[in-house]
Amino acid sequence: MSAGTHDDIDWAARLTELRRLDALESEAVREVAQRLAGGLPEDAVVVDAGCGAGGMSAALASVLKDNGGGRLVLIDASEELLIAAQEAAEATGSGDVAVTTVVADVAVDPLASLVPQADLVWASAMVHHLPDQQAGVTALVRLLAPGGRLALAEGGTGQSFLPWDIGLGHPGLESRLNAARNAWFADLRGGIDGAVAMPYGWTTALTRAGLVEATSFSYLVEHPPPVDDAVRRYVVERFTWLADVVSDRLAPADRETLAELLDPDSAYYVGARDDVFMLYARTVHTAVRPR
């Protein structure tokens, strides 16, 4: 989830939040790792580009261990996140998987000279933070061995945590929060130095980068009510973050509702509601380098 500082986001400062989300996604992500890497040979090379706190790194290491071993290369521009990801991967690889790290910026560094040719390259929620997304995809393609697969986790649905009517303010608050978040991100991308538009989908980007067999699938992250404390903490963190970045894009009534949801003394406090849940889908786009 980390891709350098082109977006001026301090990803290392969000390590606790990233780890919490990794834990909440772990079951779903493990299934994705099995789907992508389960058939690889025991000497396979797998790259996790923009590894963040290492949720998928750990899942990939576990699958490689089950395969009989392999090599896992973690790439990130943040040394702090690389350390966290390496620890997570080594804990699940249990010595059967060689885990190495590379401090690099996918947008500018010559990755192909730093990373061995890979059977699988995984990049989650990373490419959309790069100035030129198509160039970023092409850079990742260069890491593939013939027959290797690139998998980009990009897009899906907005995260949902609350019912449509929460008994406060106007119904449908979350849809408006997600719309404001999308507008915020559009402005963020527009402010990235050297930003280049990519007015087409991810499978098209994979095909334009020279890959074949482009397709997509989605996976679901779901924690139905009643949720545990880990989900509650994440929901509070998420709404706190939304309040920080999109409050000025909301109508006054929605700002008041959001403030009430984040007030621990309020009867509507999101951290204490019994109807809180966690639901969203992430989409993975894959394609293969011709042999």
Side-chain angles (χ1 to χ4, degrees):
M1 295 183 66
S2 178
T5 58
H6 300 282
D7 50 19
D8 292 326
I9 296 175
D10 185 353
W11 291 103
R14 297 177 63 183
L15 178 58
T16 298
E17 180 185 351
L18 294 175
R19 279 176 163 159
R20 197 183 318 281
L21 183 58
D22 282 347
L24 295 174
E25 290 189 342
S26 60
E27 183 176 341
V29 166
R30 180 59 168 77
E31 294 179 2
V32 175
Q34 180 63 41
R35 176 170 179 167
L36 294 173
L40 296 179
E42 65 180 31
D43 59 348
V45 176
V46 174
V47 173
D48 186 353
C51 58
M56 185 53 142
S57 307
L60 290 168
S62 176
V63 173
L64 289 176
K65 178 187 176 183
D66 292 345
N67 291 350
R71 181 176 179 185
L72 178 62
V73 182
L74 311 179
I75 303 173
D76 206 284
S78 166
E79 292 190 47
E80 295 92 337
L81 295 183
L82 274 175
I83 291 171
Q86 183 175 20
E87 290 173 351
E90 289 179 342
T92 57
S94 301
D96 296 316
V97 179
V99 181
T100 57
T101 63
V102 177
V103 180
D105 180 344
V106 172
V108 298
D109 291 325
L111 295 183
S113 65
L114 303 172
V115 179
Q117 284 197 315
D119 300 284
L120 171 67
V121 174
W122 166 265
S124 175
M126 182 273 283
V127 176
H128 69 253
H129 288 279
L130 301 178
D132 187 334
Q133 297 167 95
Q134 181 66 69
V137 173
T138 301
L140 294 174
V141 167
R142 295 192 186 105
L143 304 183
L144 293 173
R149 181 177 300 275
L150 174 58
L152 305 175
E154 293 284 357
T157 66
Q159 295 181 332
S160 295
F161 307 102
L162 291 170
W164 180 72
D165 189 345
I166 60 174
L168 179 69
H170 301 296
L173 174 67
E174 275 196 315
S175 63
R176 296 190 296 277
L177 288 176
N178 283 329
R181 183 264 173 202
N182 290 341
W184 166 82
F185 184 74
D187 288 346
L188 180 75
R189 268 214 59 83
I192 293 176
D193 187 33
V196 176
M198 193 184 81
Y200 44 84
W202 292 101
T203 52
T204 300
L206 292 170
T207 301
R208 291 191 181 193
L211 301 185
V212 297
E213 301 176 30
T215 188
S216 303
F217 67 90
S218 296
Y219 65 95
L220 191 68
V221 178
E222 181 178 19
H223 295 274
V227 298
D228 60 21
D229 287 342
V231 175
R232 292 184 183 279
R233 286 194 296 270
Y234 179 77
V235 173
V236 171
E237 288 172 349
R238 180 69 178 181
F239 276 82
T240 300
W241 176 78
L242 285 168
D244 287 341
V245 301
V246 306
S247 283
D248 60 344
R249 299 174 184 271
L250 300 176
D254 283 344
R255 286 200 297 271
E256 293 175 7
T257 299
L258 187 54
E260 188 86 359
L261 287 172
L262 290 171
D263 181 358
D265 295 325
S266 170
Y268 299 97
Y269 178 50
V270 71
R273 297 179 64 108
D274 62 8
D275 56 1
V276 168
F277 59 91
M278 186 175 189
L279 178 66
Y280 57 93
R282 294 191 184 275
T283 302
V284 180
H285 313 274
T286 77
V288 175
R289 178 181 172 183
R291 293 184 182 275

